[in-house]
Amino acid sequence: MQGQGGAQEVIMSLLPIVFFIAIFYLLLIRPANVKRKKHQEMIDALQKGDKIITTGGLIAEIVKPEKTFFSVRLNDDTIVRLSREFIAYKLDENELTQDS
């Protein structure tokens, strides 16, 4: 009978650690994975003509989607290549027309 009591004590001592790991997963890891997945889906869905904001804060229009880069237009004269990693988010048309 003492063998069962010792195993039960081990299980009870590990229970708080398992609880904290579960809370850590639910509050930090899972939401970050969901956000990363949505961001990747948004980047994969970008097309020519979409307006984006870069992580540096520049507003640009996609001219040509490529495998690892986007060719983007910053103004009428400037077209540059931008890595997919540096796209913060896509602008909606109503966000462009709002006055601050």
Side-chain angles (χ1 to χ4, degrees):
M1 284 276 186
Q2 287 181 343
Q4 286 181 343
Q8 194 173 24
E9 287 178 19
V10 170
I11 292 172
M12 292 303 286
S13 67
L14 292 176
L15 196 58
I17 295 171
V18 171
F19 175 75
F20 284 117
I21 290 172
I23 294 296
F24 185 76
Y25 174 78
L26 290 174
L27 293 178
L28 296 174
I29 296 172
R30 187 168 182 270
N33 285 342
V34 169
K35 184 177 179 181
R36 183 182 43 80
K37 184 178 178 182
K38 283 184 179 183
H39 186 259
Q40 186 62 44
E41 289 172 357
M42 181 269 307
I43 288 174
D44 291 340
L46 288 174
Q47 302 174 15
K48 180 180 178 179
D50 287 341
K51 304 269 194 251
I52 59 167
I53 292 198
T54 67
T55 54
L58 297 173
I59 298 174
E61 178 183 351
I62 295 178
V63 175
K64 180 182 175 189
E66 299 175 31
K67 186 174 181 177
T68 57
F69 294 94
F70 285 104
S71 292
V72 296
R73 176 178 291 128
L74 297 176
N75 60 30
D76 292 337
D77 300 327
T78 310
I79 295 177
V80 297
R81 291 177 67 192
L82 178 69
S83 176
R84 290 178 173 256
E85 300 168 359
F86 293 100
I87 295 175
Y89 59 93
K90 177 182 174 184
L91 283 176
D92 294 329
E93 291 301 321
N94 59 359
E95 290 177 352
L96 290 173
T97 58
Q98 291 179 351
D99 292 332
S100 297

